[in-house]
Each structure stands twice: as structure tokens, then as C-alpha cells.
Amino acid sequence: MIKQFFGKLPKKPSKSAENRELGGSSALSNASTNLRSSELASNGPNLKITTSLPAFGSVIYSPERKIGQVVNSKPNDYLLAASYEALPAFRDVPNSEKQSLFINKLKLCYVVFDFTDPSQHLKEKDIKRQTLLELVDYVTSANGKFSETVMQEAIKMVSVNLFRSLSPQPRENKVVEAFDAEEEENSMDPAWPHLQIVYEFFLRFVASPETDAKLAKRYIDHSFVLKLLDLFDSEDFREREYLKTILHRIYGKFMVHRPFIRKAINNIFFRFIFETEKHNGIAELLEVLGSIINGFALPLKEEHKLFLVRALIPLHKPKCLPMYHQQLSYCISQFVEKDCKLADTVIRGLLKCWPITNSSKEVMFLNELEEILEATQPAEFQRCMVPLFRQIARCLSSLHFQVAERALYLWNNDHIENLIRQNRKVILPIIFPALEKNGRNHWNPVVQNLILNVRKIFSEVDPELFEECLCKFQEDEMKAEEMQRKHENAWKRLEEIAATNDAASGEANLISRVECIQISSKTVDG
């Protein structure tokens, strides 16, 4: 603490520099604010933040008033050793005593109640809720810089209420085959009536212009950030929404913590990808990262490129990809838009993670691929087009109509179609067999019609190349039929020899491996 106090403080960044690495911050903040406002309204008048709070009876106020001690008998079960009484409202005390009252109200909220039994401590819970609402209103309307004591007590109150062991996950031991976020039941924390107001208080405290970042960073330190990130695994989506907005605010306000926050998120992703494949907050973390990536300065640092290759691309591997694919796709598209040379790296990374038996996941990959190709320049496209269109050819040959259909829709994108036209001499020979076979044999009429449209495009753009590919395809088909016929003749010859031997000896005889090879080679060559 002493070293931090006397250490060299970083220069105060300008607002433009602070926001440069936080592109899209207003959109994220506005969306989260709207969600919080609707939540507060939906919870009824009891959660309305207002200065007109009901009186709690005749309470004598003293700035030196002691708060009842908290006795922790067991986890999440607190007993009050002294009477838990409400403090007077801010409007009832002189301005000179408001800061002391604010600190005492913070201390009053150190007490954490057990919400698993709704019949216990009803009066005390309501007193705390009303006190928290007063604290939110005080922070919102503050017109003077918060002192170090106030910051210390505020962060302590937030830590006591928020940092807790999360409830066990019900799908901990289940194998997730195909996760559907819409069908999954949302788990609600019973303590949310208090947690929500604590989160609202902390959000407004961090965002307040009266909170000095140089002073507050002593208490919102690395340890605090790590504990905050641990809460992203909460099963309550409402809590994750608050955490997303708060983390974004901390990243914007405390520039000194930015590298550490990125590294900590990176470690969460590594643990999720390579160890557990279980985490509830990946989508929210990616949403914050999308805003951060949007603000990266050019040229991109090597650290950011490594994060793309080592963390974001491997996030396509887990089975629960549908939980966060939309946010992940946005982050990767941001990288390609920032630096078009990364398109080759990203596309090859997608091909390594390409699903084999999961059709719905394959459709998601094709959706993301189209977004990446829209930002891809011709030079980068040429580097990866051969392996890329080998995979697209496999998609065109898929019996799952949604996969084949989505692959064919790539030709509806003008930019992608233009790239294909420019490189048709390489691409058409790769995909032509898939177009011909599926055009004749696919069971879905929509897929057949789309294939006919693609064939028409190629035949009109380069008739000679199209005829050349058609002739080669027909020759290959004839060769394949001839080879199949020779193989069938070889097996018939083997069956005849086996039948002759059986008739001669009266029992089944095995033909030697050497004799089989000789017969097969003679039949094929002849």
C-alpha cells in the first residue's frame, strides 16, 4: 500500500485517448441501462430509486453511531448481534454531516442476509434495501469528489455483498450435446433484491465523475478485478448483465488495469476451452471484448494478434458454441476489419475447427465465414481459396439441406461472387464435381434450383472453362465406373474359385492372400 501511495502516478488520459480503445461504449452502456431500467420498473414501486423514502420511526442520529457487529455462524447465514435499525435520510441532516452519514449507511450494509428462508429478518432486509436505495441516490447526485475513506468503505461494502461462492451448476456433470440457450431455464439468485441495488450502486460509483481514478485504483485493484471476473460464471443472467457493464466502465476508467483485464479474460477462455468447457459468462465477456477490440489502435499489437489466434479462434471448438457464437463472430470480424491481412489466418483457423457431424454448427460456421469474406481483400483471398473451397465443396455435397443451401447462398453476396469470378479458373475445378452430383441427385428441390443458378453463373462468365470442367468430370465418372466394374469382376472371380474349392473338397477352404492379390490384379489389368 505504501509503495502504491508513493509510486509514480500515471498521467491523466484525455477523454479522446480514453475512448479510443473503447469503441462502441455508448451502445453497450445504453443497452445495459435500458435493461436495468426495465428491470427496476418491472420489480414494482419497491425498487424505484427515489429520494422520497418512507421514515423508519424515530431514530436518533449520531455521526459516531456504531453499527451492530456481524456474526458469521455458517456460510451465507448471518445473525445480528445488535439491533439493526434504520439511519435517518440524507435530507434530514445538515450538509456537514452527510458524508459521515453516508459512511455509516455503507457500514450498515455490511450485513449480508440469508435469502434461502424468506421468513427470516423481514424488517432488517427491508431496512437494508431502503438504505441501499438511498446510497444509490446519494452517489448519483454527489457534487464533490469522494474522499479516500468513502472509497474504501464503498468498495468494502460492495465486496462483502457481491463476492461470494456461486451456487453449484446443475449441468456440472452433464455432457452438453447441443446447447440451446433459449430452452435453458434461467437460474435466479434469491438474494437479487439486494444484489441488484448493490450492483446499481457500484456501477454509478465507478461511472461518477466524482470518483477519482488515481485514488480509486488503490481499492479497485487486481485482486478486486479477479473476484469480479469470477462472478461472470453466475447462472443469473441479470447479474451477468450488470457485470458486463461494470467491467466495461472499469476498463474505460482505469487505464492502468487494461492489460491485466485482457490477460485475465484470456486465462478464463483458456480454462474454458482446454479444461472445463463450462462457463456461464463467455457471451458477456465476448461482448465486452467486442467493444474493446473496436477501439484497438492500428497497427495492431502482436499481443492482440496472439489473443486472436490462441483464444478467439479455438473458442469455436466447444460443443456449447451456440451460447456465444454471435458475440464471438463479431469479435473476429472486428479483427479482420482492423487488419485485412488477418483474413487468411482466421479462415485457416476456422477450417481447422470445422465440424464434421454437427450440421447446425456447420451452418453457423458458414454464416461467420460470409462475414469474414465480406472484409477479405483479393490478395488474402487467393492465399486461402484452395483449402477454403475444398471445404465449401464438401458442404455443397452435404445431404443436410440447410448446410448445402447455406453454402450456395454465398453466391448471393456480391463481394464474394466477385472474388469467385476473379479466381474461377482455380475454384470451379474444385467445386464442379459437387455441383454436378448434387444438381442431379440431391433430394431437396430448393438445393437443386440453387445449384442450377450457380452453374448458370459459371457457364455465362466463362463457357470454355465450364465445358472443360464438364468434360473432365464426365471422363472421371467413366473411369470410376470402369474401375468399379473391374472390382466387381474381381470379386466374382474370387467367389467362383471359392465355390470350386468347396465343391472339390466338400468343406470350406480359405483362399490365400497371395492368390487373392494375383486374381484381383489380373482382373483389373485385363
Side-chain angles (χ1 to χ4, degrees):
M1 179 63 70
I2 295 176
K3 184 177 180 181
Q4 290 180 347
F5 184 80
F6 290 103
K8 184 179 180 181
L9 295 175
K11 294 181 179 180
K12 183 177 182 181
S14 64
K15 289 186 177 180
S16 60
E18 186 174 305
N19 293 330
R20 187 165 55 247
E21 204 171 343
L22 281 169
S25 61
S26 59
L28 177 61
S29 301
N30 291 339
S32 300
T33 303
N34 292 337
L35 175 63
R36 292 195 307 275
S37 300
S38 61
E39 275 190 6
L40 290 171
S42 64
N43 282 323
N46 290 335
L47 275 180
K48 185 178 181 181
I49 299 178
T50 175
T51 55
S52 301
L53 296 172
F56 292 104
S58 178
V59 179
I60 299 176
Y61 169 71
S62 170
E64 294 78 26
R65 183 180 185 275
K66 301 292 184 181
I67 304 299
Q69 299 296 318
V70 178
V71 180
N72 186 6
S73 59
K74 60 181 180 179
N76 295 327
D77 185 14
Y78 295 86
L79 300 177
L80 302 180
S83 61
Y84 194 81
E85 297 178 356
L87 296 173
F90 286 104
R91 66 177 181 274
D92 297 333
V93 299
N95 290 334
S96 60
E97 296 180 357
K98 284 186 176 180
Q99 181 171 318
S100 298
L101 176 59
F102 180 67
I103 292 174
N104 280 333
K105 284 180 180 288
L106 288 171
K107 292 180 178 179
L108 186 70
C109 294
Y110 285 174
V111 181
V112 179
F113 295 97
D114 184 5
F115 279 81
T116 56
D117 187 354
S119 62
Q120 285 188 353
H121 305 302
L122 295 179
K123 177 185 175 183
E124 290 81 3
K125 289 176 182 177
D126 188 61
I127 291 174
K128 179 179 177 180
R129 186 180 64 83
Q130 297 290 352
T131 304
L132 287 169
L133 290 172
E134 285 188 85
L135 292 174
V136 171
D137 188 66
Y138 181 86
V139 170
T140 305
S141 59
N143 55 6
K145 292 291 183 182
F146 295 125
S147 66
E148 184 172 0
T149 304
V150 168
M151 290 185 183
Q152 184 177 9
E153 296 299 331
I155 298 303
K156 185 176 180 181
M157 186 276 288
V158 170
S159 301
V160 167
N161 282 274
L162 297 186
F163 299 154
R164 66 207 188 278
S165 59
L166 298 174
S167 57
Q169 303 176 12
R171 57 179 185 274
E172 177 108 6
N173 299 320
K174 297 179 182 178
V175 177
V176 181
E177 293 296 338
F179 184 86
D180 189 343
E182 294 181 357
E183 294 181 1
E184 185 73 9
E185 292 185 2
N186 291 312
S187 176
M188 304 295 187
D189 195 315
W192 186 246
H194 283 183
L195 288 175
Q196 180 185 11
I197 312 175
V198 175
Y199 274 117
E200 188 68 32
F201 167 83
F202 185 47
L203 175 60
R204 299 195 184 194
F205 180 79
V206 172
S208 173
E210 310 305 335
T211 302
D212 185 3
K214 293 181 180 180
L215 202 59
K217 72 178 183 179
R218 302 175 188 174
Y219 306 101
I220 303 178
D221 54 8
H222 289 180
S223 175
F224 184 92
V225 170
L226 284 177
K227 293 175 182 177
L228 197 70
L229 287 171
D230 287 340
L231 293 175
F232 272 88
D233 201 19
S234 169
E235 290 196 324
D236 195 327
F237 75 95
R238 303 168 299 181
E239 182 169 15
R240 299 198 302 270
E241 282 295 319
Y242 265 104
L243 287 165
K244 175 184 68 178
T245 309
I246 289 170
L247 180 64
H248 189 268
R249 291 287 188 176
I250 291 176
Y251 189 90
K253 191 155 193 168
F254 300 92
M255 295 186 69
V256 68
H257 290 337
R258 290 182 179 182
F260 179 80
I261 291 174
R262 293 196 300 268
K263 184 178 179 180
I265 295 175
N266 203 7
N267 291 335
I268 292 175
F269 288 163
F270 285 159
R271 195 178 309 116
F272 170 71
I273 296 166
F274 302 110
E275 295 180 14
T276 65
E277 288 197 11
K278 299 182 183 70
H279 198 285
N280 294 304
I282 299 298
E284 286 77 13
L285 289 171
L286 285 170
E287 194 168 341
V288 175
L289 279 172
S291 180
I292 294 172
I293 295 167
N294 191 31
F296 281 165
L298 296 176
L300 290 175
K301 297 179 182 178
E302 191 64 25
E303 168 203 348
H304 302 329
K305 296 179 182 179
L306 288 175
F307 174 70
L308 168 67
V309 174
R310 295 178 179 177
L312 291 184
I313 292 178
L315 275 173
H316 291 83
K317 294 180 181 179
K319 296 178 181 178
C320 55
L321 176 66
M323 290 174 60
Y324 54 83
H325 181 259
Q326 182 180 356
Q327 293 84 354
L328 175 61
S329 178
Y330 176 77
C331 289
I332 289 182
S333 298
Q334 287 292 308
F335 267 106
V336 177
E337 290 176 6
K338 287 280 182 182
D339 186 355
C340 61
K341 294 180 180 179
L342 292 173
D344 176 53
T345 302
V346 170
I347 291 174
R348 290 181 183 274
L350 283 179
L351 294 177
K352 288 182 180 179
C353 303
W354 202 278
I356 298 174
T357 59
N358 191 330
S359 300
S360 61
K361 195 173 178 181
E362 202 166 359
V363 171
M364 285 191 290
F365 271 58
L366 288 167
N367 290 333
E368 182 176 354
L369 182 63
E370 181 173 358
E371 293 182 9
I372 295 168
L373 288 175
E374 282 183 349
T376 303
Q377 299 302 313
E380 282 68 39
F381 180 79
Q382 290 174 359
R383 292 193 186 100
C384 61
M385 62 183 178
V386 173
L388 171 61
F389 277 87
R390 284 175 182 164
Q391 181 59 56
I392 291 177
R394 286 190 284 270
C395 293
L396 295 174
S397 301
S398 175
L399 291 177
H400 195 290
F401 81 96
Q402 289 180 333
V403 176
E405 185 180 50
R406 188 63 189 85
L408 289 163
Y409 279 146
L410 292 174
W411 273 264
N412 290 348
N413 188 296
D414 293 337
H415 178 70
I416 297 175
E417 183 185 350
N418 189 39
L419 291 173
I420 295 173
R421 285 172 183 258
Q422 294 173 8
N423 300 276
R424 59 185 180 274
K425 294 186 182 300
V426 177
I427 294 173
L428 184 57
I430 296 174
I431 66 172
F432 193 87
L435 290 174
E436 281 297 308
K437 291 177 182 178
N438 259 13
R440 299 174 186 174
N441 306 321
H442 203 282
W443 62 272
N444 188 278
V446 176
V447 172
Q448 289 184 345
N449 290 333
L450 290 171
I451 288 175
L452 290 176
N453 292 337
V454 173
R455 291 178 79 255
K456 184 179 179 181
I457 291 173
F458 281 113
S459 63
E460 291 177 352
V461 171
D462 196 335
E464 294 180 2
L465 177 63
F466 185 84
E467 286 299 324
E468 181 183 336
C469 292
L470 180 60
C471 292
K472 186 177 185 306
F473 173 76
Q474 292 172 348
E475 290 176 4
D476 292 342
E477 267 198 333
M478 292 177 62
K479 289 179 181 179
E481 290 175 0
E482 182 66 18
M483 185 64 67
Q484 180 67 23
R485 185 184 60 79
K486 290 179 179 180
H487 286 165
E488 290 176 358
N489 291 337
W491 279 109
K492 287 180 181 179
R493 179 62 178 157
L494 289 172
E495 291 173 358
E496 290 173 0
I497 294 174
T500 303
N501 291 340
D502 288 347
S505 61
E507 59 184 14
N509 291 319
L510 296 177
I511 302 175
S512 68
R513 182 178 179 184
V514 176
E515 189 176 357
C516 289
I517 295 173
Q518 289 175 350
I519 294 171
S520 178
S521 61
K522 287 179 182 179
T523 306
V524 172
D525 293 340

